[in-house]
Amino acid sequence: MQQGIDSRAMLTVFLARLPRLFLLAVAGAVLGSGLYLMVALDASRNACFVSETEYYIEFEEGRYKARDYYNAFTWNEAIRGDEILGRAMELLGSSYDRDDVETMITAAILSDVRYLTVTVRGQEAAQVQAVKEALGTALEEFGALKKEFEEIYKIKDRETALEKIPYFGWRAAFLGAVAAAACGVFAAAFRFCLGSAFYTKRDITVRLGLPVYGMTFEPARRERECGVSRRQAEMLAGGLSMLAQQYRKIVLLDAAQGQEASAFLEEITRRGLIDNICCEICDRKKELYEGQETAFVAVIPFGRTYREKITDEIQYVQLRGGRVVGAVLVQAQTWWMRFYYAQGRS
């Protein structure tokens, strides 16, 4: 039988995990905002003093190629050359290192090529102010000397101030929540598709190749009997009756040293489903019942890692000559099955 993904069962698994996914998202939000806060605090401790000055570049009449040449990239190169930075270093004096000053300055053309914005960043306000003034003088002299320009002059000068570090805590929290929830969804999908848990009778039939005679529900939910539970009880009773007609003995097999099988046997005994039916728990210490008169039924709990364990038990029985004729799904969640069968019939 070709195995496929039961999309309705997967959706139900996701709904069952919504509380966990919510808590995971909250944890991700807290972690994301906390990590970002640490980064922001570290950045604020290393904040620089910043000064921005805007210059107007008045090109010489008819020098249209100069407008194309002097763009943002060109100005960043030109402002670090000897004609501008070299002149600024003469004004600053020997106490300043050219390489250090070069890393402090940035030139940008934001929209119009006639407007040049020069930004100076540094750890000390006095140093930033000195570099800005020297660079401004050198830039104005550059505009007066170059034939491409009429002149370059200052039109806006912002005061030197400590750089403001933007804080995007809510954004970091949101991204952390989304990332954590996405990891939770992926883990749930991965566990459902490649995991070993059984959620439906179809899972058992597809993965183990065994027919399923019915299911039982969690004890805490039995008092809330619904159409699904009643229908499954009828199917279970019919399946056990059919087995009793075909086989003299029914042996319950599980992968929990008889605990699941014992609980299931107590359940069907309490409900009167094994009248005149000889049922017992499989015991490896005893000789297995062989032949046509004994049937083994696998007892599989709902939603627990079980496939590899029960597969080993089934193979053990088969190698010893026993016949595993089917399975039952036990301890199913009532609300889970009600949602799963909401748009269909069992």
Side-chain angles (χ1 to χ4, degrees):
M1 180 181 296
Q2 185 177 1
Q3 182 173 351
I5 296 176
D6 191 338
S7 57
R8 189 186 301 174
M10 179 179 287
L11 176 60
T12 311
V13 167
F14 285 148
L15 290 177
R17 291 181 175 270
L18 277 180
R20 296 183 184 179
L21 291 176
F22 176 76
L23 293 177
L24 192 61
V26 172
V30 173
L31 181 62
S33 60
L35 289 176
Y36 182 79
L37 178 60
M38 293 174 61
V39 173
L41 290 175
D42 182 69
S44 64
R45 285 196 295 267
N46 299 319
C48 298
F49 287 93
V50 180
S51 177
E52 288 187 356
T53 307
E54 190 172 354
Y55 295 90
Y56 184 79
I57 305 170
E58 189 171 337
F59 290 92
E60 182 71 28
E61 187 69 26
R63 296 282 183 175
Y64 299 108
K65 290 185 178 180
R67 292 172 178 260
D68 296 331
Y69 176 76
Y70 283 98
N71 51 39
F73 176 79
T74 308
W75 274 115
N76 270 293
E77 291 294 321
I79 206 169
R80 289 173 168 80
D82 290 336
E83 293 177 295
I84 299 177
L85 182 57
R87 174 56 180 154
M89 295 306 300
E90 293 177 3
L91 297 172
L92 288 171
S94 60
S95 60
Y96 286 82
D97 182 76
R98 178 165 177 164
D99 291 336
D100 293 338
V101 173
E102 186 174 343
T103 61
M104 295 171 61
I105 58 178
T106 305
I109 300 292
L110 300 181
S111 56
D112 194 325
V113 293
R114 294 172 297 177
Y115 295 93
L116 173 66
T117 301
V118 177
T119 304
V120 182
R121 287 185 173 85
Q123 295 295 326
E124 298 179 6
Q127 185 184 43
V128 171
Q129 186 68 24
V131 171
K132 179 184 72 171
E133 293 175 356
L135 199 63
T137 300
L139 191 59
E140 291 174 357
E141 291 178 0
F142 179 78
L145 293 173
K146 284 290 187 178
K147 60 184 179 180
E148 292 94 337
F149 311 107
E150 282 283 348
E151 64 176 322
I152 298 175
Y153 56 90
K154 186 186 305 179
I155 59 174
K156 187 182 295 185
D157 188 8
R158 293 187 175 89
E159 294 183 358
T160 302
L162 190 64
E163 183 179 21
K164 293 183 178 179
I165 305 298
Y167 180 68
F168 302 104
W170 287 106
R171 186 181 301 176
F174 176 75
L175 291 177
V178 171
C183 290
V185 170
F186 176 79
F190 183 83
R191 185 174 184 271
F192 178 84
C193 296
L194 300 179
S196 302
F198 294 96
Y199 294 97
T200 65
K201 296 188 293 183
R202 179 180 181 274
D203 285 344
I204 298 174
T205 301
V206 169
R207 297 181 182 183
L208 300 180
L210 297 175
V212 182
Y213 294 107
M215 69 175 71
T216 62
F217 294 84
E218 290 180 334
R221 304 294 184 183
R222 289 193 191 114
E223 68 274 12
R224 300 176 58 185
E225 189 174 6
C226 60
V228 173
S229 59
R230 286 194 297 270
R231 176 58 178 155
Q232 293 300 325
E234 294 172 359
M235 295 180 66
L236 179 60
L240 293 176
S241 178
M242 179 182 63
L243 286 174
Q245 295 175 8
Q246 296 177 356
Y247 302 96
R248 184 177 63 84
K249 185 179 294 293
I250 299 174
V251 181
L252 302 177
L253 170 71
D254 68 8
Q257 299 180 349
Q259 296 181 6
E260 303 293 345
S262 298
F264 174 70
L265 182 57
E266 292 178 5
E267 170 73 6
I268 60 177
T269 301
R270 184 184 63 82
R271 295 168 59 180
L273 299 180
I274 57 171
D275 293 339
N276 301 320
I277 302 177
C278 182
C279 281
E280 63 180 61
I281 311 300
C282 181
D283 188 353
R284 281 194 173 191
K285 297 180 181 179
K286 298 181 180 179
E287 288 294 327
L288 293 178
Y289 298 93
E290 302 178 5
Q292 301 295 324
E293 296 183 348
T294 301
F296 287 82
V297 175
V299 180
I300 300 176
F302 171 89
R304 286 166 48 188
T305 301
Y306 216 72
R307 182 173 58 183
E308 287 73 18
K309 299 176 184 178
I310 195 64
T311 299
D312 287 343
E313 297 297 329
I314 291 173
Q315 291 178 348
Y316 174 79
V317 169
Q318 291 174 338
L319 289 174
R320 298 286 298 274
R323 173 180 296 183
V324 182
V325 297
V328 290
L329 183 64
V330 299
Q331 300 175 16
Q333 296 177 353
T334 303
W335 76 267
W336 200 102
M337 289 300 172
R338 288 180 66 179
F339 184 87
Y340 180 76
Y341 288 111
Q343 299 179 4
R345 296 181 178 179
S346 59

